[in-house]
Structures are given as structure tokens and as C-alpha cells.
Amino acid sequence: MEDILKQLPQRAKDTHNENKKFFVKLKKKPPRQLDELMVELHEEEFRRTDCLTCANCCKTTGPLFTNKDIERIAKHFRMKPQQFIETYLRLDEENDYVLQTVPCAFLGADNYCSIYDVHPKACREFPHTDRKKFQQISNLTLKNVAICPAAFNIVEEMKKRLP
């Protein structure tokens, strides 16, 4: 996995323009079966991919925290939401709550999440490759292929299956 993660940024960079063109085309005329295909590709990939051997998303990026996430996680820690915010979060340039630092404070040395039972919605849904109306998140996907080997593989397979 270490080698894959070392190569991923360059591989993502090498395919960026091709992927961008592909997503522009996809957005203009999404195939009828796109949602079903994305679920299939996502499930196939995650039968092969064990996130615990990677955790690159947790090591290099931070999720957005919704108000519901903050309330749920604060309750888990028996904290007031404001105390949780002050301890772990900051507002980004788009006024969203994000982690103060990466890697994620809740990531263990074994790549397990210490708050997995209550982790943020953005973490549960990452890398968003099985999302409905997938064509609407092409900019996010272009970023995620540089972070997540599974997302990279899903996009590569998608390009093969969609003419």
C-alpha cells in the first residue's frame, strides 16, 4: 500500500486532464444507468480494498463537520458542542467546520477511527463514488482520486465501461 500511496499523486496528475474531459462529457449527457454502474463499481472496488491498510484520507485531509456531526460527536465525548468545536475544529474559508489539524486527531496508529460509531457523515460517505447523480460531484472526484486509491481505480474502471 505504501508504494501505491507514493505513486498516487503522480498517477492522478497524469490522468487529470483526461479525467476532466471525461467528467465534462459525463455531466453534459449522463448515461441512464450511471447511478447503478457507480454502485456496482464502488462495491467491486471495496471488496478488494481494505481502507484500514491505507487511511490516506484520514492522514491527509479533513472532513466537513455538519451541525448534526458536531452534536453527535460532542455527546459521545460528553462535551458541549461549543467545547468540541474549540478543541478540535476551525472554520475554513467557506465557513465550514473542519479539523484544526491533519492527520485526524481520531485516527489511531492502527488506522482505526476512535470515533467510528459516531464519525462524520463526510467520512461515512467518502470517497463518494456510490453517490446518486455522481456526475454532479466531478470536481470533488477529481480531488479524491489523488487521495484515495480506491477512487482512482473506480474512475479508471468507469472510463473503460462508459464509451
mmCIF file of all heavy atoms in Angstrom, residues 99-143:
data_model
loop_
_atom_site.group_PDB
_atom_site.id
_atom_site.type_symbol
_atom_site.label_atom_id
_atom_site.label_comp_id
_atom_site.label_asym_id
_atom_site.label_seq_id
_atom_site.Cartn_x
_atom_site.Cartn_y
_atom_site.Cartn_z
ATOM 1 N N LEU A 99 -11.402 19.992 10.624
ATOM 2 C CA LEU A 99 -10.420 19.705 11.665
ATOM 3 C C LEU A 99 -9.383 20.817 11.760
ATOM 4 O O LEU A 99 -8.990 21.390 10.741
ATOM 5 C CB LEU A 99 -9.709 18.380 11.370
ATOM 6 C CG LEU A 99 -10.550 17.117 11.471
ATOM 7 C CD1 LEU A 99 -9.783 15.937 10.880
ATOM 8 C CD2 LEU A 99 -10.930 16.843 12.916
ATOM 9 N N GLN A 100 -8.899 21.049 12.970
ATOM 10 C CA GLN A 100 -7.825 22.039 13.151
ATOM 11 C C GLN A 100 -6.533 21.552 12.508
ATOM 12 O O GLN A 100 -5.762 22.351 11.973
ATOM 13 C CB GLN A 100 -7.578 22.293 14.647
ATOM 14 C CG GLN A 100 -8.666 23.075 15.323
ATOM 15 C CD GLN A 100 -8.426 23.223 16.820
ATOM 16 O OE1 GLN A 100 -7.378 22.863 17.350
ATOM 17 N NE2 GLN A 100 -9.421 23.765 17.506
ATOM 18 N N THR A 101 -6.302 20.241 12.575
ATOM 19 C CA THR A 101 -5.059 19.687 12.043
ATOM 20 C C THR A 101 -5.324 18.345 11.366
ATOM 21 O O THR A 101 -6.324 17.686 11.646
ATOM 22 C CB THR A 101 -4.027 19.438 13.175
ATOM 23 O OG1 THR A 101 -4.579 18.526 14.109
ATOM 24 C CG2 THR A 101 -3.641 20.723 13.880
ATOM 25 N N VAL A 102 -4.425 17.971 10.472
ATOM 26 C CA VAL A 102 -4.395 16.616 9.925
ATOM 27 C C VAL A 102 -3.015 16.067 10.222
ATOM 28 O O VAL A 102 -2.065 16.843 10.306
ATOM 29 C CB VAL A 102 -4.703 16.561 8.410
ATOM 30 C CG1 VAL A 102 -6.141 16.914 8.137
ATOM 31 C CG2 VAL A 102 -3.776 17.436 7.602
ATOM 32 N N PRO A 103 -2.839 14.781 10.404
ATOM 33 C CA PRO A 103 -3.868 13.748 10.333
ATOM 34 C C PRO A 103 -4.960 13.955 11.387
ATOM 35 O O PRO A 103 -4.778 14.665 12.359
ATOM 36 C CB PRO A 103 -3.090 12.456 10.561
ATOM 37 C CG PRO A 103 -1.759 12.825 11.087
ATOM 38 C CD PRO A 103 -1.534 14.264 10.778
ATOM 39 N N CYS A 104 -6.054 13.295 11.151
ATOM 40 C CA CYS A 104 -7.217 13.387 12.029
ATOM 41 C C CYS A 104 -6.830 12.977 13.453
ATOM 42 O O CYS A 104 -6.175 11.956 13.654
ATOM 43 C CB CYS A 104 -8.324 12.477 11.501
ATOM 44 S SG CYS A 104 -9.799 12.488 12.546
ATOM 45 N N ALA A 105 -7.276 13.767 14.394
ATOM 46 C CA ALA A 105 -6.987 13.503 15.818
ATOM 47 C C ALA A 105 -7.599 12.187 16.293
ATOM 48 O O ALA A 105 -7.168 11.640 17.313
ATOM 49 C CB ALA A 105 -7.519 14.657 16.666
ATOM 50 N N PHE A 106 -8.568 11.678 15.564
ATOM 51 C CA PHE A 106 -9.277 10.466 15.982
ATOM 52 C C PHE A 106 -8.726 9.201 15.311
ATOM 53 O O PHE A 106 -9.233 8.115 15.526
ATOM 54 C CB PHE A 106 -10.776 10.612 15.707
ATOM 55 C CG PHE A 106 -11.331 11.883 16.285
ATOM 56 C CD1 PHE A 106 -11.797 12.892 15.456
ATOM 57 C CD2 PHE A 106 -11.336 12.102 17.653
ATOM 58 C CE1 PHE A 106 -12.281 14.082 15.987
ATOM 59 C CE2 PHE A 106 -11.811 13.285 18.202
ATOM 60 C CZ PHE A 106 -12.289 14.278 17.362
ATOM 61 N N LEU A 107 -7.680 9.354 14.498
ATOM 62 C CA LEU A 107 -7.070 8.224 13.808
ATOM 63 C C LEU A 107 -5.994 7.596 14.682
ATOM 64 O O LEU A 107 -5.071 8.281 15.127
ATOM 65 C CB LEU A 107 -6.443 8.696 12.480
ATOM 66 C CG LEU A 107 -5.764 7.619 11.642
ATOM 67 C CD1 LEU A 107 -6.785 6.621 11.116
ATOM 68 C CD2 LEU A 107 -4.986 8.257 10.501
ATOM 69 N N GLY A 108 -6.132 6.290 14.910
ATOM 70 C CA GLY A 108 -5.140 5.578 15.700
ATOM 71 C C GLY A 108 -3.976 5.111 14.851
ATOM 72 O O GLY A 108 -4.046 5.096 13.615
ATOM 73 N N ALA A 109 -2.899 4.694 15.514
ATOM 74 C CA ALA A 109 -1.707 4.191 14.816
ATOM 75 C C ALA A 109 -2.041 2.956 13.979
ATOM 76 O O ALA A 109 -1.371 2.658 12.995
ATOM 77 C CB ALA A 109 -0.613 3.863 15.821
ATOM 78 N N ASP A 110 -3.104 2.249 14.361
ATOM 79 C CA ASP A 110 -3.543 1.050 13.630
ATOM 80 C C ASP A 110 -4.518 1.380 12.498
ATOM 81 O O ASP A 110 -5.122 0.493 11.906
ATOM 82 C CB ASP A 110 -4.186 0.065 14.608
ATOM 83 C CG ASP A 110 -5.371 0.662 15.366
ATOM 84 O OD1 ASP A 110 -5.722 1.863 15.141
ATOM 85 O OD2 ASP A 110 -5.950 -0.050 16.203
ATOM 86 N N ASN A 111 -4.682 2.671 12.203
ATOM 87 C CA ASN A 111 -5.595 3.182 11.170
ATOM 88 C C ASN A 111 -7.071 3.035 11.536
ATOM 89 O O ASN A 111 -7.940 3.253 10.685
ATOM 90 C CB ASN A 111 -5.326 2.560 9.791
ATOM 91 C CG ASN A 111 -4.064 3.101 9.167
ATOM 92 O OD1 ASN A 111 -3.526 4.118 9.587
ATOM 93 N ND2 ASN A 111 -3.577 2.418 8.147
ATOM 94 N N TYR A 112 -7.363 2.667 12.762
ATOM 95 C CA TYR A 112 -8.752 2.617 13.219
ATOM 96 C C TYR A 112 -9.181 3.992 13.694
ATOM 97 O O TYR A 112 -8.381 4.739 14.258
ATOM 98 C CB TYR A 112 -8.925 1.601 14.351
ATOM 99 C CG TYR A 112 -9.099 0.180 13.873
ATOM 100 C CD1 TYR A 112 -7.988 -0.621 13.614
ATOM 101 C CD2 TYR A 112 -10.368 -0.354 13.667
ATOM 102 C CE1 TYR A 112 -8.136 -1.927 13.161
ATOM 103 C CE2 TYR A 112 -10.524 -1.657 13.221
ATOM 104 C CZ TYR A 112 -9.407 -2.429 12.969
ATOM 105 O OH TYR A 112 -9.563 -3.718 12.524
ATOM 106 N N CYS A 113 -10.445 4.305 13.492
ATOM 107 C CA CYS A 113 -11.027 5.571 13.928
ATOM 108 C C CYS A 113 -11.574 5.391 15.340
ATOM 109 O O CYS A 113 -12.423 4.523 15.568
ATOM 110 C CB CYS A 113 -12.147 5.960 12.972
ATOM 111 S SG CYS A 113 -13.054 7.435 13.472
ATOM 112 N N SER A 114 -11.133 6.233 16.254
ATOM 113 C CA SER A 114 -11.576 6.095 17.645
ATOM 114 C C SER A 114 -13.021 6.545 17.849
ATOM 115 O O SER A 114 -13.614 6.260 18.878
ATOM 116 C CB SER A 114 -10.649 6.869 18.586
ATOM 117 O OG SER A 114 -10.722 8.260 18.316
ATOM 118 N N ILE A 115 -13.583 7.224 16.855
ATOM 119 C CA ILE A 115 -14.990 7.647 16.958
ATOM 120 C C ILE A 115 -15.824 7.041 15.827
ATOM 121 O O ILE A 115 -16.826 7.609 15.406
ATOM 122 C CB ILE A 115 -15.137 9.188 16.990
ATOM 123 C CG1 ILE A 115 -14.582 9.833 15.705
ATOM 124 C CG2 ILE A 115 -14.474 9.770 18.241
ATOM 125 C CD1 ILE A 115 -14.987 11.285 15.516
ATOM 126 N N TYR A 116 -15.407 5.881 15.353
ATOM 127 C CA TYR A 116 -16.046 5.269 14.185
ATOM 128 C C TYR A 116 -17.568 5.163 14.321
ATOM 129 O O TYR A 116 -18.291 5.419 13.363
ATOM 130 C CB TYR A 116 -15.434 3.892 13.908
ATOM 131 C CG TYR A 116 -15.918 3.317 12.593
ATOM 132 C CD1 TYR A 116 -15.349 3.754 11.396
ATOM 133 C CD2 TYR A 116 -16.932 2.376 12.547
ATOM 134 C CE1 TYR A 116 -15.790 3.251 10.181
ATOM 135 C CE2 TYR A 116 -17.379 1.865 11.334
ATOM 136 C CZ TYR A 116 -16.806 2.310 10.156
ATOM 137 O OH TYR A 116 -17.251 1.825 8.967
ATOM 138 N N ASP A 117 -18.052 4.817 15.489
ATOM 139 C CA ASP A 117 -19.503 4.669 15.679
ATOM 140 C C ASP A 117 -20.264 5.981 15.518
ATOM 141 O O ASP A 117 -21.472 5.969 15.295
ATOM 142 C CB ASP A 117 -19.815 4.060 17.046
ATOM 143 C CG ASP A 117 -19.370 2.612 17.137
ATOM 144 O OD1 ASP A 117 -19.177 1.969 16.078
ATOM 145 O OD2 ASP A 117 -19.204 2.119 18.266
ATOM 146 N N VAL A 118 -19.566 7.106 15.638
ATOM 147 C CA VAL A 118 -20.230 8.416 15.545
ATOM 148 C C VAL A 118 -19.524 9.345 14.545
ATOM 149 O O VAL A 118 -19.754 10.551 14.542
ATOM 150 C CB VAL A 118 -20.310 9.109 16.941
ATOM 151 C CG1 VAL A 118 -21.231 8.347 17.873
ATOM 152 C CG2 VAL A 118 -18.929 9.291 17.562
ATOM 153 N N HIS A 119 -18.679 8.774 13.687
ATOM 154 C CA HIS A 119 -17.865 9.617 12.804
ATOM 155 C C HIS A 119 -18.709 10.451 11.845
ATOM 156 O O HIS A 119 -19.879 10.149 11.605
ATOM 157 C CB HIS A 119 -16.781 8.805 12.092
ATOM 158 C CG HIS A 119 -17.245 7.776 11.113
ATOM 159 N ND1 HIS A 119 -18.089 6.745 11.422
ATOM 160 C CD2 HIS A 119 -16.928 7.614 9.806
ATOM 161 C CE1 HIS A 119 -18.289 5.991 10.349
ATOM 162 N NE2 HIS A 119 -17.602 6.500 9.360
ATOM 163 N N PRO A 120 -18.125 11.540 11.327
ATOM 164 C CA PRO A 120 -18.867 12.485 10.475
ATOM 165 C C PRO A 120 -19.451 11.839 9.218
ATOM 166 O O PRO A 120 -18.896 10.871 8.679
ATOM 167 C CB PRO A 120 -17.810 13.525 10.090
ATOM 168 C CG PRO A 120 -16.770 13.423 11.141
ATOM 169 C CD PRO A 120 -16.749 11.980 11.569
ATOM 170 N N LYS A 121 -20.529 12.422 8.752
ATOM 171 C CA LYS A 121 -21.206 11.968 7.534
ATOM 172 C C LYS A 121 -20.230 11.952 6.355
ATOM 173 O O LYS A 121 -20.228 11.011 5.557
ATOM 174 C CB LYS A 121 -22.369 12.914 7.247
ATOM 175 C CG LYS A 121 -23.164 12.587 6.007
ATOM 176 C CD LYS A 121 -24.310 13.583 5.838
ATOM 177 C CE LYS A 121 -25.197 13.176 4.697
ATOM 178 N NZ LYS A 121 -25.143 14.096 3.567
ATOM 179 N N ALA A 122 -19.391 12.969 6.251
ATOM 180 C CA ALA A 122 -18.436 13.045 5.141
ATOM 181 C C ALA A 122 -17.478 11.855 5.156
ATOM 182 O O ALA A 122 -17.092 11.355 4.101
ATOM 183 C CB ALA A 122 -17.654 14.354 5.197
ATOM 184 N N CYS A 123 -17.113 11.389 6.328
ATOM 185 C CA CYS A 123 -16.227 10.218 6.434
ATOM 186 C C CYS A 123 -16.982 8.951 6.034
ATOM 187 O O CYS A 123 -16.430 8.107 5.336
ATOM 188 C CB CYS A 123 -15.715 10.055 7.868
ATOM 189 S SG CYS A 123 -14.697 11.425 8.445
ATOM 190 N N ARG A 124 -18.228 8.839 6.480
ATOM 191 C CA ARG A 124 -19.024 7.652 6.140
ATOM 192 C C ARG A 124 -19.212 7.524 4.641
ATOM 193 O O ARG A 124 -19.257 6.425 4.107
ATOM 194 C CB ARG A 124 -20.405 7.725 6.806
ATOM 195 C CG ARG A 124 -20.429 7.351 8.252
ATOM 196 C CD ARG A 124 -21.835 7.109 8.764
ATOM 197 N NE ARG A 124 -22.772 8.192 8.530
ATOM 198 C CZ ARG A 124 -22.935 9.252 9.334
ATOM 199 N NH1 ARG A 124 -22.224 9.367 10.419
ATOM 200 N NH2 ARG A 124 -23.816 10.174 9.044
ATOM 201 N N GLU A 125 -19.340 8.643 3.950
ATOM 202 C CA GLU A 125 -19.642 8.632 2.521
ATOM 203 C C GLU A 125 -18.399 8.649 1.630
ATOM 204 O O GLU A 125 -18.502 8.397 0.432
ATOM 205 C CB GLU A 125 -20.542 9.824 2.181
ATOM 206 C CG GLU A 125 -21.904 9.716 2.832
ATOM 207 C CD GLU A 125 -22.797 10.920 2.563
ATOM 208 O OE1 GLU A 125 -22.329 11.915 1.957
ATOM 209 O OE2 GLU A 125 -23.963 10.869 2.966
ATOM 210 N N PHE A 126 -17.237 8.956 2.186
ATOM 211 C CA PHE A 126 -16.005 9.040 1.393
ATOM 212 C C PHE A 126 -15.688 7.692 0.752
ATOM 213 O O PHE A 126 -15.850 6.665 1.379
ATOM 214 C CB PHE A 126 -14.822 9.479 2.279
ATOM 215 C CG PHE A 126 -13.601 9.826 1.501
ATOM 216 C CD1 PHE A 126 -13.455 11.080 0.950
ATOM 217 C CD2 PHE A 126 -12.602 8.882 1.293
ATOM 218 C CE1 PHE A 126 -12.333 11.395 0.205
ATOM 219 C CE2 PHE A 126 -11.485 9.188 0.543
ATOM 220 C CZ PHE A 126 -11.349 10.453 -0.001
ATOM 221 N N PRO A 127 -15.272 7.634 -0.486
ATOM 222 C CA PRO A 127 -14.912 8.715 -1.412
ATOM 223 C C PRO A 127 -16.066 9.178 -2.302
ATOM 224 O O PRO A 127 -15.831 9.775 -3.352
ATOM 225 C CB PRO A 127 -13.790 8.089 -2.235
ATOM 226 C CG PRO A 127 -14.165 6.643 -2.333
ATOM 227 C CD PRO A 127 -14.819 6.318 -1.007
ATOM 228 N N HIS A 128 -17.278 8.912 -1.901
ATOM 229 C CA HIS A 128 -18.487 9.405 -2.582
ATOM 230 C C HIS A 128 -18.692 8.800 -3.969
ATOM 231 O O HIS A 128 -19.405 9.358 -4.787
ATOM 232 C CB HIS A 128 -18.473 10.939 -2.685
ATOM 233 C CG HIS A 128 -18.124 11.620 -1.402
ATOM 234 N ND1 HIS A 128 -19.019 11.721 -0.360
ATOM 235 C CD2 HIS A 128 -16.976 12.190 -0.967
ATOM 236 C CE1 HIS A 128 -18.434 12.343 0.650
ATOM 237 N NE2 HIS A 128 -17.192 12.635 0.313
ATOM 238 N N THR A 129 -18.080 7.670 -4.232
ATOM 239 C CA THR A 129 -18.162 7.065 -5.565
ATOM 240 C C THR A 129 -19.434 6.255 -5.794
ATOM 241 O O THR A 129 -19.677 5.818 -6.914
ATOM 242 C CB THR A 129 -16.928 6.182 -5.825
ATOM 243 O OG1 THR A 129 -16.693 5.355 -4.687
ATOM 244 C CG2 THR A 129 -15.699 7.035 -6.094
ATOM 245 N N ASP A 130 -20.236 6.089 -4.760
ATOM 246 C CA ASP A 130 -21.510 5.385 -4.949
ATOM 247 C C ASP A 130 -22.693 6.337 -4.777
ATOM 248 O O ASP A 130 -23.824 5.921 -4.611
ATOM 249 C CB ASP A 130 -21.633 4.194 -3.983
ATOM 250 C CG ASP A 130 -21.566 4.597 -2.527
ATOM 251 O OD1 ASP A 130 -21.206 5.755 -2.210
ATOM 252 O OD2 ASP A 130 -21.873 3.744 -1.670
ATOM 253 N N ARG A 131 -22.415 7.597 -4.893
ATOM 254 C CA ARG A 131 -23.419 8.628 -4.677
ATOM 255 C C ARG A 131 -24.363 8.733 -5.881
ATOM 256 O O ARG A 131 -23.931 8.582 -7.026
ATOM 257 C CB ARG A 131 -22.677 9.948 -4.490
ATOM 258 C CG ARG A 131 -23.532 11.075 -4.041
ATOM 259 C CD ARG A 131 -22.644 12.021 -3.299
ATOM 260 N NE ARG A 131 -23.031 13.396 -3.517
ATOM 261 C CZ ARG A 131 -22.388 14.400 -2.971
ATOM 262 N NH1 ARG A 131 -21.337 14.197 -2.224
ATOM 263 N NH2 ARG A 131 -22.788 15.614 -3.180
ATOM 264 N N LYS A 132 -25.619 9.012 -5.613
ATOM 265 C CA LYS A 132 -26.576 9.249 -6.701
ATOM 266 C C LYS A 132 -26.186 10.550 -7.419
ATOM 267 O O LYS A 132 -25.630 11.449 -6.823
ATOM 268 C CB LYS A 132 -27.993 9.368 -6.154
ATOM 269 C CG LYS A 132 -28.533 8.046 -5.636
ATOM 270 C CD LYS A 132 -30.048 8.015 -5.679
ATOM 271 C CE LYS A 132 -30.632 6.747 -5.148
ATOM 272 N NZ LYS A 132 -30.080 5.514 -5.662
ATOM 273 N N LYS A 133 -26.498 10.597 -8.714
ATOM 274 C CA LYS A 133 -26.138 11.743 -9.548
ATOM 275 C C LYS A 133 -24.646 12.043 -9.429
ATOM 276 O O LYS A 133 -24.219 13.179 -9.226
ATOM 277 C CB LYS A 133 -26.988 12.963 -9.193
ATOM 278 C CG LYS A 133 -28.469 12.720 -9.452
ATOM 279 C CD LYS A 133 -29.292 13.946 -9.218
ATOM 280 C CE LYS A 133 -30.742 13.605 -9.518
ATOM 281 N NZ LYS A 133 -31.657 14.674 -9.161
ATOM 282 N N PHE A 134 -23.868 10.999 -9.554
ATOM 283 C CA PHE A 134 -22.414 11.066 -9.430
ATOM 284 C C PHE A 134 -21.810 12.171 -10.295
ATOM 285 O O PHE A 134 -20.842 12.814 -9.902
ATOM 286 C CB PHE A 134 -21.817 9.697 -9.798
ATOM 287 C CG PHE A 134 -20.330 9.661 -9.783
ATOM 288 C CD1 PHE A 134 -19.642 9.537 -8.584
ATOM 289 C CD2 PHE A 134 -19.606 9.748 -10.963
ATOM 290 C CE1 PHE A 134 -18.260 9.520 -8.564
ATOM 291 C CE2 PHE A 134 -18.222 9.722 -10.946
ATOM 292 C CZ PHE A 134 -17.556 9.609 -9.739
ATOM 293 N N GLN A 135 -22.390 12.402 -11.477
ATOM 294 C CA GLN A 135 -21.834 13.387 -12.406
ATOM 295 C C GLN A 135 -21.802 14.786 -11.802
ATOM 296 O O GLN A 135 -21.062 15.645 -12.254
ATOM 297 C CB GLN A 135 -22.616 13.386 -13.734
ATOM 298 C CG GLN A 135 -24.000 13.999 -13.686
ATOM 299 C CD GLN A 135 -25.085 13.071 -13.159
ATOM 300 O OE1 GLN A 135 -24.816 11.981 -12.698
ATOM 301 N NE2 GLN A 135 -26.328 13.514 -13.237
ATOM 302 N N GLN A 136 -22.577 15.035 -10.745
ATOM 303 C CA GLN A 136 -22.628 16.368 -10.140
ATOM 304 C C GLN A 136 -21.445 16.645 -9.212
ATOM 305 O O GLN A 136 -21.261 17.778 -8.781
ATOM 306 C CB GLN A 136 -23.940 16.547 -9.371
ATOM 307 C CG GLN A 136 -25.147 16.536 -10.274
ATOM 308 C CD GLN A 136 -26.456 16.647 -9.502
ATOM 309 O OE1 GLN A 136 -26.502 16.521 -8.291
ATOM 310 N NE2 GLN A 136 -27.532 16.890 -10.228
ATOM 311 N N ILE A 137 -20.665 15.635 -8.889
ATOM 312 C CA ILE A 137 -19.546 15.843 -7.964
ATOM 313 C C ILE A 137 -18.200 15.599 -8.642
ATOM 314 O O ILE A 137 -17.247 15.163 -8.004
ATOM 315 C CB ILE A 137 -19.687 14.977 -6.691
ATOM 316 C CG1 ILE A 137 -19.706 13.483 -7.035
ATOM 317 C CG2 ILE A 137 -20.889 15.392 -5.866
ATOM 318 C CD1 ILE A 137 -19.400 12.586 -5.851
ATOM 319 N N SER A 138 -18.124 15.914 -9.919
ATOM 320 C CA SER A 138 -16.889 15.625 -10.658
ATOM 321 C C SER A 138 -15.685 16.377 -10.090
ATOM 322 O O SER A 138 -14.587 15.825 -10.041
ATOM 323 C CB SER A 138 -17.068 15.905 -12.139
ATOM 324 O OG SER A 138 -17.484 17.231 -12.354
ATOM 325 N N ASN A 139 -15.844 17.626 -9.646
ATOM 326 C CA ASN A 139 -14.706 18.364 -9.083
ATOM 327 C C ASN A 139 -14.192 17.691 -7.818
ATOM 328 O O ASN A 139 -12.985 17.591 -7.603
ATOM 329 C CB ASN A 139 -15.075 19.821 -8.804
ATOM 330 C CG ASN A 139 -15.247 20.616 -10.082
ATOM 331 O OD1 ASN A 139 -14.772 20.206 -11.139
ATOM 332 N ND2 ASN A 139 -15.929 21.737 -10.002
ATOM 333 N N LEU A 140 -15.117 17.243 -6.982
ATOM 334 C CA LEU A 140 -14.737 16.527 -5.764
ATOM 335 C C LEU A 140 -14.034 15.215 -6.116
ATOM 336 O O LEU A 140 -13.010 14.863 -5.518
ATOM 337 C CB LEU A 140 -15.983 16.253 -4.909
ATOM 338 C CG LEU A 140 -15.777 15.481 -3.614
ATOM 339 C CD1 LEU A 140 -14.862 16.238 -2.667
ATOM 340 C CD2 LEU A 140 -17.125 15.210 -2.951
ATOM 341 N N THR A 141 -14.550 14.509 -7.095
ATOM 342 C CA THR A 141 -13.956 13.238 -7.516
ATOM 343 C C THR A 141 -12.545 13.448 -8.061
ATOM 344 O O THR A 141 -11.642 12.657 -7.767
ATOM 345 C CB THR A 141 -14.845 12.535 -8.552
ATOM 346 O OG1 THR A 141 -16.150 12.367 -7.983
ATOM 347 C CG2 THR A 141 -14.284 11.180 -8.944
ATOM 348 N N LEU A 142 -12.342 14.514 -8.818
ATOM 349 C CA LEU A 142 -11.001 14.814 -9.335
ATOM 350 C C LEU A 142 -10.003 15.000 -8.189
ATOM 351 O O LEU A 142 -8.850 14.596 -8.286
ATOM 352 C CB LEU A 142 -11.019 16.060 -10.218
ATOM 353 C CG LEU A 142 -11.576 15.867 -11.619
ATOM 354 C CD1 LEU A 142 -11.771 17.213 -12.315
ATOM 355 C CD2 LEU A 142 -10.670 14.967 -12.447
ATOM 356 N N LYS A 143 -10.448 15.587 -7.095
ATOM 357 C CA LYS A 143 -9.582 15.739 -5.907
ATOM 358 C C LYS A 143 -9.385 14.393 -5.222
ATOM 359 O O LYS A 143 -8.280 14.056 -4.793
ATOM 360 C CB LYS A 143 -10.199 16.726 -4.911
ATOM 361 C CG LYS A 143 -10.171 18.152 -5.374
ATOM 362 C CD LYS A 143 -10.852 19.057 -4.368
ATOM 363 C CE LYS A 143 -10.985 20.468 -4.916
ATOM 364 N NZ LYS A 143 -11.816 21.304 -4.073
#
